[in-house]
């Protein structure tokens, strides 16, 4: 056996120990390098030699410098770091949103809303107090301003989030570029059979950084390069990389795309996902809630305010604040398509027209439908006595009362319903008892004898009716008026009343059925009715406290004189026909004395004669809400707030300029604060528009939901941090550098090196001894 | 398990970080005095706190309102206390005025005193606080005013009710009509009784006092067939002045006239015989009981001796004759005032004479009318029929007393409301304080607890830092060295 083999063996040992020491040194040097995985020298026995049939070992050799990595743990860690990154961004954003929405002490909007109601409560004690009115309006204006400011902050927050997304995408693109470059270098080296652990470590560090930004996965290629996918889309492949960009989809929503491709990346994990969620999901929900709150509040306040009256009473002229989206040009469009801030629904608007000199009030019900146009609505108002309506070039509706008249939309009771004829009037009169439509036949006739004169034949012919078999009360009245003299027919709450034009005891009316017996469906009393010196003149008073609108019908139960006839009563019926009160107005009743009916409404009668035989009756609308169509809110007529979202809500500017316009009254009296009380009741009103909550509850819900979401984000972040820490520990166990371990190995390989050196010396000495033998 | 320096370092750092966070949070709690600064730190408490704050805001609104209501109620009660004092003086004057020994000068002095009181009463009726008239209902900018010489209410009968609780409202004042003209109608009374008219069965709507005029319209004698309604048998005819001069009213037979042509005497209803010569066309014949007929005796049937039945029609009016109702001799006839449309029900069955009756619509005289009426009665004492003087003054006294009762009822009403307000204020304050306590529990830092926790966290932090530091110093390299 040659001694040179011994040299070889010793040299191999020296080189192996040196390589091990180099690896240890590298490990120690990179102990704190991000992404570094410790390396380990794997030793192997050198190939043996066979001499004389015997096999001899030839020492040690470095089989491999192994990079100690658990790929599964690495992948999991990368994935969970992306989750953690998203959660951290979300939690930080949630904290910012909380600070914005909840305000100082967590009570911003709620506190401001409370101040509005508190100032309303104070004003209700002295409705005529101008300072109190200013206080209410200032508090409401502050609330509206805060909503606008908050909405603006949220818009800014979303904008900032998108800017942040763009910055992070730029960073991701830069990292992708570097990874592609490293791929190229690694694959080149690998082709040459060189291990590129350092480059792999750098690439891993970059991947870790990328995972903070995007939801990335990797696929190892055979040539050593890594394919990087973000949300399933390849962004690095070999030495190529594909930049990402922030774009908007067809609806304007932001989305991330690979440059040059059309598909959007699904937001998964990473900071970008967190930012997108904050900007496009969390914040819009809050904005929507704020808008919903602002809209509901505006609608609720406007519903009440628009039906109230300013300090100096009804309106001589009133202009709508809102216009169709397309201005006057859209006045012919249905409300449902005209783009008003609030929906118009099928309902009624009650309009009061009052003679300023006499105080006489007329109440009219206007049917409103969402299919009506602004122009049609204006025409309906125009058709009311003493009112005119016009639409200006911008599309504002203006209602104007004739000189000497004022109008309002208050639900106040009409104190003198059915002023002439029909119920104990000084004018003789009879009313129909049948309900429209009336099935009258062509050519049928009715005899009307007025003031003792000869009977006048009223003939109904098809030409007078749209459909004579379904005649309306208005058509019947018009047909009678076109033929009768000395009397007038009118419609009172759906009934036809024929009354003599003469007042007093000489006044009389007598109806008789003629050919075709139309009275069988009309139901006029055929008993002679005579006028009286004193009318029963019912007077209603009080404020209706019922929950829903109703129509009460008052009918004489028998014939007699109020205050005189023993046992004389008047029955009161609701719209469903239920008798709700019996009023004793006979002997013992002092004319003019108020009799309470129910729900805050009283009635008094003058000492006239009433007749059940003549069908004496009158109706009264008792209103909880005088605009069931929301048309006033939609048009912004006598509104409290204008605008319908947190972006544009504000107190009506002219209210702020003139607090006397605050509609705190329902009667127009200076000290009447009935409408303030209705506004105040909004604090307890559960509104379907905000899920059955009150306004205050809605704000509490919004803030507490944000709090719970923030709390949940914080909890998730903590849980994720623990998970990442655990995975990091697992990675450290495999890839981390242990100084103790490295020190021990250092000593071990130092000793190995020393031993190899000694061995070589021994071989050298042996070789020298041999050489000495030769000399 | 391989333990690397990084693992040790991370673990030490995690511990230090956790304790630092706790110390920071506790520092914030101590510095701000609040348990949480962001709702996410305690979402449940934040939600409860917001709800409690909203409730406290509402209660504060009610508390402010109830104080304002109480102030206004007390202002009204103070004004009415003054009014009751004045009415007590009026009552004394009313009693004193019935003393029959008083001279006209004495009555004039009392009337002057009443005039001064009336001025003060009007001032009280128009009492204002800083916001409007207290007794104008909700029309707080319109006072009582003199309209055509009468003190007339310009306000309304509505009351401003202010919410002072979730389901509790309290009116801030009493309206003018409640204090000054609350009616408690009773059966009307007639002062004179000379006409035979009596209260009808119906219920009047007229107020205060009415003057019922029973007016003669026409008289017919016997069969009434002679021109102008004369009697064909006796030849007796009504004089031309009969419509305005006669005072008898009644159906046929209610009155009669006795004629003795031969002795040239004529008498009414068995009254004093009036002599005539036979050529008189307008002879006045009175029955000594208020009945007068003006007759034409120029065509009497020669030698006629006998009794002639009289039928005299008449009408009723409460507006001085402007609006007349023909007497129908029924138990209830409605007489309407042409202007006010107020009605007075009359039993006309016993009407026999024309004349004027004062109808007292008992219980309907307002406070101003009662004082002014008493004053005017004292000033016009001499014009009141002697028989009616005491009745008239007693009636005035009765109206003053009734109005004083109304005022006392109103004071009592306001007093009760003030008590309700006080009670509501106390309750609201208590509940508000309780809610403030709840809010404090939800929001405020329990300093003692936090300070203790802070100390513990600081200690834990120091220990974590020390342990970490020590751990970093202990390694194999140091051992090798």
């Amino acid at each position: 056996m040659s001694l040179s083999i011994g040299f070889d063996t010793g040299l191999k040992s020296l080189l192996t120990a040196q390589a091990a020491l180099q690896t240890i040194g590298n490990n120690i040097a990179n102990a704190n390098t991000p992404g570094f995985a410790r390396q380990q020298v794997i030793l192997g026995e050198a190939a043996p030699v066979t001499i004389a049939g015997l096999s001899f070992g030839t020492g040690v050799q470095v089989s491999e410098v192994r990079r100690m990595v658990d790929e599964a743990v690495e992948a999991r860690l990368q994935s969970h770091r992306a989750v953690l990154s998203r959660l951290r961004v979300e939690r930080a954003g949630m904290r910012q949103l909380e600070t914005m929405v909840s305000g100082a002490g967590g009570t911003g909007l709620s506190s401001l809303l409370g101040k509005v109601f508190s100032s309303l409560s104070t004003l209700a004690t002295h409705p005529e107090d101008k300072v109190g009115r200013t206080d209410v309006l200032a508090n409401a204006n502050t609330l509206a301003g805060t909503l606008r400011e908050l909405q603006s902050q949220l818009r800014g927050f979303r904008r900032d989030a998108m800017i942040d997304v763009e910055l992070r995408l730029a960073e991701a693109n830069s990292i992708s570029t570097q990874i592609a470059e490293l791929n190229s270098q690694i694959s080149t080296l690998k082709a040459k059979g060189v291990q590129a652990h350092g480059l792999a470590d750098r690439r891993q560090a970059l991947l870790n950084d990328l995972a903070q930004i995007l939801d990335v996965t990797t696929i190892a290629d055979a040539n050593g390069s890594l394919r990087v996918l973000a949300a399933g889309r390849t962004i690095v492949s070999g030495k190529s990389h594909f930049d990402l960009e922030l774009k908007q989809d067809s609806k304007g929503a932001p989305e991330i795309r690979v440059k040059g491709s059309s598909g959007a990346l699904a937001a998964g994990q990473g900071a970008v996902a967190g930012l997108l969620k904050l900007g496009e999901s969390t914040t819009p929900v809050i904005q929507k809630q704020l808008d919903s709150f602002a809209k509901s509040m505006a609608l609720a306040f406007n519903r009440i305010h628009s039906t109230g009256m300013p300090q100096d009473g009804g309106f001589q002229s009133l202009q709508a604040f809102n216009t169709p989206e397309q201005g006057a040009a859209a006045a012919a469009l249905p409300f449902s398509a005209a783009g008003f801030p609030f929906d118009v629904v099928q309902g009624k608007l009650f309009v009061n027209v009052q003679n300023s000199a006499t105080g006489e009030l007329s109440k009219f019900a206007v049917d409103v439908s969402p299919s009506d146009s602004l122009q049609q609505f204006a025409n309906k108002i125009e058709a009311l006595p003493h009112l005119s309506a016009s639409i200006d070039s911008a599309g504002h509706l203006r209602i104007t009362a004739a000189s000497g008249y004022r109008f309002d939309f208050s639900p106040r009771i009409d104190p003198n319903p059915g002023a002439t004829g029909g119920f104990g009037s000084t004018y003789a009169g009879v009313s129909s008892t049948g309900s429209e439509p009336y099935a009258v036949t062509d050519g049928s006739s009715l005899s009307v004898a007025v003031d003792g004169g000869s009977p006048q034949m009223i003939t109904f012919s098809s030409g007078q009716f749209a459909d004579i078999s379904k005649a309306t009360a208005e058509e019947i009245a018009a047909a009678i008026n076109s033929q009768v003299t000395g009397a007038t027919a009118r419609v009172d709450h759906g009934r036809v009343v024929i009354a003599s034009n003469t007042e007093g005891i000489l006044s009389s009316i007598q109806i008789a059925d003629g050919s075709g017996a139309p009275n069988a469906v009309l139901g006029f009393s055929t008993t002679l009715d005579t006028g009286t010196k004193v009318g029963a003149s019912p007077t209603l008073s009080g404020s209706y406290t019922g929950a829903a609108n109703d129509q009460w019908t008052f009918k004489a139960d028998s014939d007699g004189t109020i205050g005189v006839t023993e046992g004389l009563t008047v029955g009161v019926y609701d719209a469903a026909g239920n008798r709700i009160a019996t009023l004793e107005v006979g002997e013992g009743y002092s004319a003019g004395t108020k009799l309470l009916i129910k729900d805050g409404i009283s009635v008094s009668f003058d000492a006239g004669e009433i007749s059940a035989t003549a069908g004496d009756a009158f109706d009264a609308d008792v209103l909880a809400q005088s605009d069931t169509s929301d048309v006033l809110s939609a048009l912004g007529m006598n509104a409290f707030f204008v605008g319908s979202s947190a972006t544009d809500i504000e107190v009506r500017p002219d209210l702020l300029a003139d607090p006397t316009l605050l509609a705190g009254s329902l009667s127009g009296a200076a000290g009447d604060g009935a409408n303030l009380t209705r506004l105040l009741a909004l604090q307890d009103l559960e509104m379907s528009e905000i899920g059955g909550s009150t306004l205050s509850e809605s704000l509490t819900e919004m803030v507490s939901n944000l709090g719970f979401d923030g709390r949940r984000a914080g909890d998730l972040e903590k849980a994720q941090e623990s998970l990442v820490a655990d995975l990091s520990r697992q990675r450290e166990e495999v890839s981390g550098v242990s100084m103790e371990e490295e020190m021990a190995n250092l000593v071990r390989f130092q000793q190995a090196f020393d031993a190899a050196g000694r061995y070589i010396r021994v071989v050298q000495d042996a070789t020298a001894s041999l050489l000495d033998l030769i000399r | 398990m391989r333990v690397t320096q990084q693992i040790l370092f991370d673990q030490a750092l995690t511990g230090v970080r956790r304790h630092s966070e706790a110390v920071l949070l506790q520092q914030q709690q101590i510095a701000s005095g609040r348990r949480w600064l962001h709702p996410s730190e305690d979402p449940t408490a934040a939600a409860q706190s917001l709800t409690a704050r909203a409730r406290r805001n509402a209660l504060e609104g009610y508390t402010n309102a109830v104080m304002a209501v109480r102030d206004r109620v007390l202002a009204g009660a103070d004004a009415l206390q003054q009014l009751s004092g004045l009415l007590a003086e009026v009552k004394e004057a009313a009693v004193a005025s019935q003393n029959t020994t008083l001279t006209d000068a004495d009555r004039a002095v009392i009337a002057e005193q009443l005039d001064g009181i009336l001025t003060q009463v009007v001032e009280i009726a128009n009492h204002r606080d800083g916001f409007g008239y207290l007794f104008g209902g909700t029309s707080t900018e319109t006072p009582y005013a003199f309209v055509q010489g009468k003190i007339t209410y310009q306000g309304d009968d509505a009351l401003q009710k202010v919410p002072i609780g979730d389901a509790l409202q309290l009116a801030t004042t009493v309206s003018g009509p409640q204090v000054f003209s609350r009616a408690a109608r009773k059966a009307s009374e007639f002062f004179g009784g000379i006409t035979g008219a009596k209260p009808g069965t119906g219920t009047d709507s007229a107020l205060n006092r009415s003057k019922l005029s029973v007016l003669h319209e026409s008289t017919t004698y016997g069969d009434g067939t002679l021109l102008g309604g004369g009697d064909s048998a006796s030849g007796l005819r009504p004089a031309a002045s009969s419509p305005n001069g006669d005072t008898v009213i009644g159906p046929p037979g209610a009155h009669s006239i006795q004629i003795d042509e031969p002795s040239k005497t004529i008498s009414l209803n068995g009254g004093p015989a009036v002599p005539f010569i036979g050529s008189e066309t307008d002879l006045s014949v009175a029955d000594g009981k208020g009945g007068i007929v003006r007759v034409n005796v120029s065509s009497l049937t020669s030698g006629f001796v006998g009794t002639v039945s009289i039928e005299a029609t008449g009408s009723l009016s409460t507006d001085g004759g402007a609006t007349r109702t023909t007497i129908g001799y029924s138990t209830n006839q409605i007489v309407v005032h042409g202007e006010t449309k107020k009605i007075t029900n009359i039993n006309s069955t016993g009407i026999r004479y024309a004349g004027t009756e004062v109808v007292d619509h008992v219980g309907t005289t307002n406070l101003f009318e009662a004082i002014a009426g008493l004053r005017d009665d004292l000033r016009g004492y001499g014009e009141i029929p002697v028989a009616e003087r005491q009745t008239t003054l007693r009636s005035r006294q009765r109206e003053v007393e009734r109005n004083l009762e109304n005022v006392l009822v109103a004071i009592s009403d306001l007093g009760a409301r003030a008590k309700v307000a006080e009670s509501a204020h106390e309750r609201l304050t208590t509940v508000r304080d309780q809610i403030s306590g709840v809010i404090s529990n939800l929001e405020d830092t329990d300093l003692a607890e936090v300070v203790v926790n802070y100390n513990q966290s600081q200690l834990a932090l120091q220990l974590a830092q020390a342990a970490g530091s020590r751990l970093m110093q202990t390694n194999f390299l140091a051992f090798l060295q």
Side-chain angles (χ1 to χ4, degrees), chain A residues 575-597:
Chain A
N578 303 311
R579 190 178 181 105
I580 56 172
T582 298
L583 308 171
E584 294 182 357
V585 295
E587 189 183 3
Y589 171 74
S590 175
T593 304
K594 288 179 184 174
L595 299 169
L596 180 65
I597 304 166

Side-chain angles (χ1 to χ4, degrees), chain B residues 163-209:
Chain B
I164 58 164
D166 293 336
L168 184 60
Q169 293 191 338
L170 200 59
T172 54
T173 58
V174 286
S175 69
Q178 277 185 284
V179 181
F180 301 96
S181 54
R182 179 188 279 177
R185 186 183 295 277
K186 293 179 181 171
S188 299
E189 293 178 0
F190 284 44
F191 285 170
I194 55 168
T195 64
K198 291 179 182 171
T201 55
T203 310
D204 299 345
S205 62
L207 303 171
N208 192 16
R209 291 183 182 181

